Amino acid sequence: MSTYVYGITRSSHPALPEKADGVGDPPRPVRVITHGGVAALVSDAPENLRPKRRDLLAHQNVLGEAGEAGTVLPLRFGGVSPDDDAVLAVLREREAHYLERLTSLDGKVEYNVKAAHNEEAVLHQVLVDNPDLRALSQDHRATGGGTYEQKLALGERVAAAVKHREARDAVLVQESLEGAAVECRPGPEGTGRLVNLSFLVERDHAGAFSDAVDALRREHGHLVLQVNGPLPPYSFVE
């Protein structure tokens, strides 16, 4: 039977979540495969595994429980190995690498931050920042909106100003938060957002990172910030 792998940790890790509910229906119990100084959290892999909500949560919960007691190198959902022997072979081959990565991530967690614009608020901000554009907009309103060509020209100028603001605010978000983090890495780009960033944060300094997020929200009300964390350091495992 194939083996599902949740993550890698030290063999000395306290309270490894053996017998916890893993992926599958019914849930497969989690077990631990060890070699030397490293261990893999695994379970039997169900056939035709799909990213269903129950299985995604089970994957996260196993890593979350293990991560509360020590450092874990998390695998993303769907990591399947041919069998336990194949997992053991990888542990044997890459033990030194895994131990180095575990040491580098000791006491650290990940926060993912996605930022977008509040459309109404950013339009207001763009006009505040551009006196000429604001005056032109006011003139158009005073004259009933202007001609079709004038409306089109104004719309194009506003769109260009918003695009410029998007680039500025993407830099603003990163620079405002990276001082409270050890490392920052970009996540996948997506439509409708300015930036998707993952921050590696010292667990003991998580409060300072949250304070930086709150200050950013407070000082820049046109930004909509979605913060997810603390998480296992998915984005910082090579």
Side-chain angles (χ1 to χ4, degrees):
M1 177 175 287
S2 298
T3 300
Y4 186 92
V5 186
Y6 300 86
I8 308 294
T9 187
R10 295 182 178 89
S11 55
S12 60
H13 188 292
L16 292 175
E18 289 191 82
K19 308 302 181 183
D21 286 344
V23 297
D25 186 16
R28 274 58 170 179
V30 176
R31 60 183 189 276
V32 180
I33 298 174
T34 61
H35 170 77
V38 292
L41 304 177
V42 306
S43 67
D44 291 343
E47 295 182 4
N48 302 316
L49 180 67
R50 296 290 184 271
K52 298 178 181 178
R53 176 176 171 78
R54 200 216 73 80
D55 288 327
L56 289 169
L57 289 175
H59 180 93
Q60 293 174 7
N61 289 340
V62 170
L63 290 171
E65 182 179 341
E68 288 179 0
T71 307
V72 179
L73 304 180
L75 273 69
R76 294 192 183 275
F77 178 85
V80 177
S81 186
D83 52 35
D84 285 8
D85 287 342
V87 175
L88 187 59
V90 173
L91 293 180
R92 185 181 301 114
E93 177 185 352
R94 298 181 62 81
E95 178 184 5
H97 169 75
Y98 289 145
L99 288 172
E100 183 277 326
R101 294 306 300 156
L102 285 162
T103 299
S104 71
L105 295 173
D106 275 341
K108 302 177 181 70
V109 292
E110 177 175 335
Y111 284 84
N112 177 257
V113 178
K114 296 179 178 68
H117 272 155
N118 178 306
E119 291 186 9
E120 183 177 345
V122 78
L123 285 174
H124 173 75
Q125 190 65 47
V126 161
L127 294 178
V128 168
D129 292 343
N130 294 267
D132 292 344
L133 199 56
R134 183 171 69 251
L136 184 59
S137 176
Q138 291 170 344
D139 289 345
H140 281 200
R141 286 200 301 271
T143 59
T147 65
Y148 172 78
E149 289 77 11
Q150 289 173 327
K151 290 178 181 178
L152 184 62
L154 177 61
E156 289 174 347
R157 288 187 62 182
V158 170
V162 169
K163 192 72 175 176
H164 178 69
R165 184 78 196 199
E166 287 176 351
R168 283 177 54 195
D169 283 341
V171 174
L172 171 68
V173 171
Q174 180 169 344
E175 291 183 345
S176 298
L177 301 180
E178 63 185 356
V182 176
E183 189 176 345
C184 173
R185 291 188 180 179
E189 295 183 3
T191 58
R193 60 185 179 228
L194 308 174
V195 72
N196 176 12
L197 297 170
S198 289
F199 295 90
L200 187 65
V201 177
E202 295 278 2
R203 189 185 293 272
D204 292 344
H205 298 160
F209 185 81
S210 296
D211 289 344
V213 172
D214 291 342
L216 186 61
R217 284 192 175 114
R218 199 165 49 245
E219 296 167 13
H220 301 278
H222 62 289
L223 293 176
V224 179
L225 301 177
Q226 177 187 341
V227 182
N228 190 17
L231 303 168
Y234 290 102
S235 302
F236 302 89
V237 176
E238 298 173 358

